[in-house]
């Protein structure tokens, strides 16, 4: 709503959409202190703070700290500079609480791992925030197993938020340790930045400068050709289930593990409803295995790009 998908959306419209989300049963809202614009770097926290204040006792609110943009770069998706120092964590939470108009966060992530700061120090700062009542739980975004285990030993981790979708399954290797430690997996970009909605094609245009998809390799004409088989399969599966490709993508993820929570984003009421109804699409174990087999064997362009949030 505020960052990476074109200019920041109209606040009045988004406030109404967030209210409708709560009315439709959405309970988990995800933001970060860096989701904003050059003019207003904290736009999204301010938006959610005002819009969700009436519903605070009905929702789970999550935010993140520990990164800033490399403003010296002239790229659309500016490189991230991680900062996991305890003093940064402790300062950031106060700003987020003020903007989100709440006295605590239900879940607070370190947004990226700072390899210059031992994760034990970052975890220790999070433990202090829990003891102070400023956060209830903490998590890590883009964590590997070693970092997760070291952090968890200092202060139990509640959630790992990593990229996960049909097009990016690397972190399935983490599932056994997450299950063992009772840690939830929050999947960001579960629709591969919208690609798995099957609403885009090689002629789709994205605003340069504010929409990261204008620089993402999976939205190039060549990538659409390479991923045509995946999109075709998704559409066929959706037709059989009286669903949409986006709903199949989310239902597949929900069927994987009961502790996986996808967080698709939208600015449109229709997509809000479509995403929610994915929870009603049931896939059997055999159907999930068939999709996995397709993903393992067919012609899919498993992309990697340097920047994502």
């Amino acid at each position: 709503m505020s960052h990476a998908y074109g200019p920041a959306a109209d606040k009045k419209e988004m406030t109404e959409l967030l209210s409708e989300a709560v009315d439709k049963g959405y309970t988990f809202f995800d933001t970060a202190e860096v989701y904003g614009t050059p003019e207003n770097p904290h736009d999204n926290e301010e938006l959610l703070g005002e819009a969700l204040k009436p519903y605070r006792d009905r929702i789970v609110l999550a935010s993140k700290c520990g990164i800033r943009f490399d403003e010296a770069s002239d790229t659309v998706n500016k490189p991230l500079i991680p900062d996991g120092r305890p003093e940064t964590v402790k300062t950031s939470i106060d700003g987020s609480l003020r903007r989100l108009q709440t006295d605590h966060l239900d879940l607070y992530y370190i947004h990226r791992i700072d390899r210059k700061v031992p994760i034990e120090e970052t975890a220790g700062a999070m433990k202090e925030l829990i003891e102070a009542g400023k956060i209830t739980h903490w998590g890590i975004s883009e964590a590997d197993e070693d970092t997760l285990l070291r952090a968890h030993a200092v202060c139990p981790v509640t959630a790992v938020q990593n990229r996960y979708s049909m097009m990016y399954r690397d972190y399935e290797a983490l599932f056994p340790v997450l299950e063992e430690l009772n840690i939830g997996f929050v999947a960001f970009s579960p629709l591969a930045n919208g690609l798995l909605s099957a609403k885009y094609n090689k002629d789709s245009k994205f605003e340069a400068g504010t929409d990261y998809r204008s620089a993402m390799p999976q939205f190039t004409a060549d990538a659409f050709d390479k991923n045509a088989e995946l999109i075709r399969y998704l559409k066929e599966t959706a037709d059989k289930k009286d669903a949409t490709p986006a709903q199949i993508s989310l239902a597949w993820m929900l069927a994987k593990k009961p502790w996986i929570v996808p967080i698709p984003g939208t600015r449109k009421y229709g997509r809000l409803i479509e995403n929610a109804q994915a929870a009603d699409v049931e896939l059997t174990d055999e159907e999930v295995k068939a999709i996995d087999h397709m993903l393992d064997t067919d012609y899919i362009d498993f992309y990697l790009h340097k920047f994502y949030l």
Side-chain angles (χ1 to χ4, degrees):
M1 294 181 173
S2 303
H3 178 76
Y5 290 87
D10 180 79
K11 274 193 167 57
K12 183 177 182 295
E13 292 180 6
M14 294 304 98
T15 297
E16 293 172 354
L17 186 60
L18 287 164
S19 177
E20 290 168 336
V22 176
D23 288 342
K24 295 299 180 183
Y26 281 85
T27 59
F28 183 36
F29 294 84
D30 179 273
T31 185
E33 66 176 352
V34 295
Y35 292 165
T37 66
E39 297 75 28
N40 185 4
H42 308 302
D43 186 87
N44 200 248
E45 284 190 331
E46 293 176 359
L47 168 65
L48 265 63
E50 190 65 30
L52 297 176
K53 187 176 181 179
Y55 316 106
R56 184 64 185 93
D57 61 345
R58 296 167 53 184
I59 64 170
V60 172
L61 192 55
S63 193
K64 314 178 197 73
C65 67
I67 59 172
R68 59 185 173 85
F69 295 112
D70 181 0
E71 296 296 345
S73 172
D74 58 1
T75 60
V76 176
N77 45 358
K78 296 183 186 299
L80 299 175
I81 300 174
D83 183 353
R85 294 174 297 167
E87 55 266 35
T88 298
V89 173
K90 294 174 186 178
T91 300
S92 294
I93 185 62
D94 291 333
S96 289
L97 292 177
R98 182 178 65 256
R99 290 184 291 270
L100 289 164
Q101 302 189 41
T102 185
D103 62 356
H104 77 286
L105 288 180
D106 302 293
L107 179 59
Y108 197 44
Y109 298 97
I110 187 70
H111 207 153
R112 287 294 183 272
I113 307 303
D114 185 349
R115 301 298 175 185
K116 297 180 180 179
V117 177
I119 192 61
E120 290 84 357
E121 294 184 13
T122 305
M126 291 292 189
K127 184 177 182 180
E128 290 183 34
L129 295 186
I130 292 173
E131 292 170 347
K134 294 184 177 183
I135 66 174
T136 306
H137 304 281
W138 86 287
I140 304 177
S141 187
E142 289 294 272
D144 54 59
E145 182 173 341
D146 176 67
T147 303
L148 176 61
L149 291 174
R150 289 165 52 202
H152 191 73
V154 175
C155 183
V157 175
T158 292
V160 168
Q161 184 177 137
N162 288 2
R163 171 175 288 271
Y164 183 52
S165 72
M166 286 185 176
M167 294 189 71
Y168 193 85
R169 298 169 59 202
D170 292 23
Y171 288 116
E172 287 183 358
L174 268 183
F175 287 1
V177 71
L178 295 178
E179 196 141 37
E180 178 184 349
L181 297 177
N182 199 30
I183 296 173
F185 187 92
V186 178
F188 77 81
S189 294
L191 298 177
N193 306 103
L195 183 72
L196 295 173
S197 69
K199 296 294 183 180
Y200 302 102
N201 57 47
K202 64 176 64 179
D203 297 318
S204 298
K205 303 297 182 184
F206 304 101
E207 184 171 315
T210 59
D211 194 323
Y212 288 0
R213 290 171 295 183
S214 65
M216 288 180 174
Q218 73 268 33
F219 288 99
T220 63
D222 182 55
F224 274 110
D225 289 337
K226 292 180 179 178
N227 291 320
E229 180 68 13
L230 169 61
I231 300 303
R232 181 193 64 77
Y233 185 94
L234 268 178
K235 289 179 176 178
E236 289 180 356
T237 304
D239 287 343
K240 293 176 184 176
K241 290 288 184 176
D242 192 25
T244 67
Q247 289 172 340
I248 295 299
S249 298
L250 294 171
W252 165 82
M253 188 175 294
L254 291 169
K256 282 282 194 173
K257 298 288 182 181
W259 36 263
I260 293 178
V261 179
I263 48 171
T266 188
R267 299 181 176 192
K268 298 178 180 179
Y269 179 77
R271 296 286 172 264
L272 186 82
I273 301 304
E274 178 184 357
N275 291 340
Q277 291 174 344
D280 299 323
V281 178
E282 295 186 7
L283 297 176
T284 66
D285 290 344
E286 290 71 23
E287 287 170 330
V288 172
K289 289 177 182 177
I291 292 173
D292 286 348
H293 180 70
M294 181 274 301
L295 295 173
D296 288 336
T297 59
D298 279 340
Y299 302 99
I300 301 169
D301 181 24
F302 290 99
Y303 64 90
L304 283 173
H305 51 84
K306 294 181 179 180
F307 184 84
Y308 40 80
L309 292 177

